[in-house]
Structure formats: structure tokens, C-alpha cells
Amino acid sequence: MDNKLALIFTHKGSSDYLWYCLEQAKKTNPEARIILLGDDANKPYDSSIEHYLISDYFEGATDFEKVYRHQSSNPYWYELICFQRWFIIRDFVQKNNIEQCYGCDTDIMIYDDLSKYIPEGNFKLTIANKNGPQCSYFTNKSINDFCNYILKQYTDPSGLQRLLTRYRGFVDNNRPGGNCDMTMFELCEKDYPGSVLDFGFMTPQPGLNKNLVYCCSSNYDWMKIEKLKNFTIAQIRFEDNKPYILAKDGNKYFVPVVHFLGQYKQFMYDYATIDQNKKEYIKNKFTTKKRFHKIKYLIKQCLPFGIVSLLKKNK
């Protein structure tokens, strides 16, 4: 069994923020394996980032799809792949004998060595702010147990009923959302108290000073106001290339991981502390790519059908 810490990212397609994320992880975790489970569209330009195809580790994800029941206002495909990534990671770590890993979102920036934050004691996995899986620690066994737990919720009658009751609360109150992979983390913490460690800044645990993940999202503004008294993205300050959050009481807190959800992805370039030349390379590469696809789209909209067909044939 390989005991070297692995940081595992799952992503389809290629986006500029993906590479800021991976390069940042490389810089701050030089001893860890940086692994991208992706597709042909995002093969790395740097051999230090390990790349594997999602399609080679999709067996468990396919099995889950057979029992999945969609209960969300979000699109079916979106919620499904969010669930499936945990089965993809499980199959990958088991087939490659990886003992411990962090399952990471690709819109996070990591500013510290994550080996410092491996939970001790009886904790088997980590979450952020009650149900956030943005940067979750697993052992080889706990990722397997977690996937089995998800399957049980969708195959056991009592689990299905609990999910249906929860979803009805969204529908009856005309609230967006529903059941998603984050729901599984939330329920797992409730069902197995003492085995799931919350590293989120919004839910600091007594005596724990290793809070790990801070979310930048307008969706969480109300939680910030209630729990942290005016923590916002504007209050992140850098000292020696490390981010700190300034609290209303004047104290500052180091932020090992920042989650740039939704519209905040556009700031990942600004908050990356990687080499400036590398930042510019990524920025220019994807700016050119976006312009090319925009021009191609405009040509398709404007030119006669016959010429468009010729373009498709020779692309």
C-alpha cells in the first residue's frame, strides 16, 4: 500500500481555473502526489501532474447510476456526476493501492501542506461547514465505506424514505436544491458522530485550531454574517503569499484552503501564488482558446449552411 499522500482532482474538460488550482497544489504540496482524474481534453502540459482517464475507473459510478434517484432542482446529469466522482476516486485508490488522499474540488486554492491537517484519532474523513466536500480527507478504507454508505441510502427502504422526506421539504417550501452528494456528508456525520471531522471555518470545533476550508460564495453570505460576523472575500489579505481572513474583532486567521465557488472562479488568477510566468502562460493559453471558440461560433451563425458543413468536415 502506497502511504504517500495523494491530492486527487476530478474534472471533465479543460478550464483555466483548473490549471491555477493544480499548479497551486503542486507548489504548496511538493511531497504529495498531484493526480488529475480527467479526460483527453485536459491532459497536463507538465509531467509532474499525474493524469488518468475517468473512463478507466467508472465501474462503480455506472453501478451507482442504476440505483440513483434524482431529487433536486439541479439538472440530473450535474447531480449524478457529483455523486459518481466519489466512486471514481474509490475505484482509483483501490486499484492503485493508495492509502490516504484528499478528494479535491478543482475550484479551490491550496496554500499549505495538507499533510499537516491529516485528522488524528477516530476520524475517518473530513468535511467543511457541515456538508462541504471541497477538500475531504479519506483513507483507502473510509472512501470505500463512504461509497457503501451512499449506496445504502439509495437501496435501503429507510434510507430512501429519509431522502424523500428531506426532498419534500425543499419542494413544499419552494426552495431550490434538494439531495446531492453534500447531503451524504451531512447525513454521514449525523449517523456516525465522532468519525467525521469538520474543518470548515463556519463551524469551528472547540479546541480545534486547524480550520481548513473557507468558502467564497454569495450563497453563503448569510452564514458568514451569522457565524463569523462579516467574513467576506474582500477581507482576505495576503502576508508572505499566504491568505488570512480578518475578523470583525480584529483577529486574523490563516486560510489553508479557499473555495472559489461559482462566480468567484474568476478571481483564481489573482489569488494564485504560483510563478508569474506560469500564471501568464495559463491565462494566455485559455484566452486564445476562448477567442477561437467564440470566432468559430460566430462563423457558424453567419455563414451559409454549405460552408459550415465544410468547416465541420475539415475541423
Side-chain angles (χ1 to χ4, degrees):
M1 193 74 72
D2 183 3
N3 198 48
K4 189 175 183 179
L5 183 63
L7 276 53
I8 303 179
F9 302 82
T10 309
H11 196 94
K12 287 186 175 182
S14 191
S15 308
D16 54 355
Y17 69 85
L18 167 66
W19 302 109
Y20 297 134
C21 171
L22 293 174
E23 290 292 344
Q24 186 71 32
K26 274 175 47 183
K27 176 182 176 180
T28 53
N29 290 262
E31 301 301 319
R33 296 176 64 182
I34 309 300
I35 298 171
L36 173 61
L37 303 181
D39 54 24
D40 289 331
N42 56 32
K43 290 183 178 179
Y45 50 79
D46 188 333
S47 60
S48 64
I49 299 173
E50 301 180 43
H51 183 268
Y52 302 86
L53 294 176
I54 288 174
S55 56
D56 291 338
Y57 302 93
F58 213 73
E59 183 178 351
T62 299
D63 291 339
F64 173 73
E65 185 175 8
K66 297 173 183 177
V67 301
Y68 173 63
R69 297 192 184 186
H70 188 61
Q71 298 170 329
S72 173
S73 60
N74 293 320
Y76 170 88
W77 62 267
Y78 174 81
E79 296 293 10
L80 178 62
I81 192 61
C82 287
F83 276 102
Q84 287 179 316
R85 68 164 167 163
W86 303 112
F87 293 88
I88 294 165
I89 292 174
R90 179 200 65 181
D91 289 356
F92 177 80
V93 299
Q94 292 195 335
K95 290 181 180 179
N96 290 276
N97 295 315
I98 295 174
E99 174 56 32
Q100 56 181 349
C101 70
Y102 278 92
C104 302
D105 283 1
T106 54
D107 55 356
I108 65 171
M109 298 292 273
I110 302 172
Y111 296 101
D112 203 3
D113 185 344
L114 293 187
S115 65
K116 299 178 183 178
Y117 302 89
I118 294 175
E120 301 175 352
N122 296 322
F123 296 113
K124 305 302 181 186
L125 59 95
T126 64
I127 56 175
N129 308 314
K130 295 295 184 183
N131 57 14
Q134 298 90 355
C135 187
S136 294
Y137 174 84
F138 290 95
T139 64
N140 187 288
K141 182 179 185 304
S142 67
I143 184 67
N144 184 60
D145 291 344
F146 181 64
C147 287
N148 288 337
Y149 177 81
I150 296 175
L151 285 171
K152 184 178 180 181
Q153 306 314 303
Y154 283 92
T155 55
D156 183 83
S158 62
L160 284 169
Q161 184 57 51
R162 177 164 67 164
L163 291 178
L164 179 59
T165 301
R166 186 179 185 278
Y167 179 52
R168 281 175 179 166
F170 285 85
V171 176
D172 294 344
N173 292 285
N174 197 29
R175 293 167 51 203
N179 294 322
C180 60
D181 67 319
M182 295 172 68
T183 306
M184 298 297 110
F185 284 89
E186 179 182 328
L187 296 178
C188 186
E189 183 189 32
K190 292 178 180 178
D191 290 345
Y192 298 97
S195 64
V196 180
L197 177 61
D198 193 334
F199 266 161
F201 265 89
M202 297 174 197
T203 52
Q205 299 194 16
L208 181 71
N209 59 6
K210 287 186 176 181
N211 290 333
L212 185 62
V213 182
Y214 173 73
C215 294
C216 291
S217 166
S218 57
N219 295 333
Y220 292 108
D221 280 349
W222 64 273
M223 296 178 67
K224 294 176 195 172
I225 294 170
E226 292 298 320
K227 299 291 182 63
L228 294 180
K229 304 300 181 187
N230 204 25
F231 273 28
T232 67
I233 189 172
Q235 292 173 289
I236 294 180
R237 299 290 184 266
F238 276 80
E239 295 180 11
D240 297 325
N241 281 335
K242 290 190 175 184
Y244 293 83
I245 293 179
L246 303 182
K248 192 174 182 179
D249 61 8
N251 292 323
K252 65 180 182 180
Y253 300 87
F254 172 57
V255 188
V257 178
V258 179
H259 182 211
F260 292 80
L261 183 62
Q263 63 179 335
Y264 287 98
K265 290 180 178 63
Q266 64 183 300
F267 296 111
M268 291 178 69
Y269 169 87
D270 299 303
Y271 284 87
T273 62
I274 60 177
D275 178 75
Q276 186 63 33
N277 291 331
K278 191 159 290 186
K279 286 173 67 173
E280 291 300 321
Y281 171 79
I282 296 170
K283 180 181 179 180
N284 293 334
K285 178 179 180 180
F286 284 91
T287 298
T288 303
K289 188 175 181 180
K290 287 176 182 177
R291 286 175 180 168
F292 170 77
H293 285 295
K294 186 174 183 179
I295 293 171
K296 187 176 179 181
Y297 171 78
L298 292 173
I299 291 174
K300 286 183 178 180
Q301 297 301 309
C302 299
L303 291 182
F305 178 79
I307 299 179
V308 172
S309 299
L310 183 64
L311 286 173
K312 288 182 178 179
K313 183 177 179 180
N314 292 282
K315 70 176 180 179

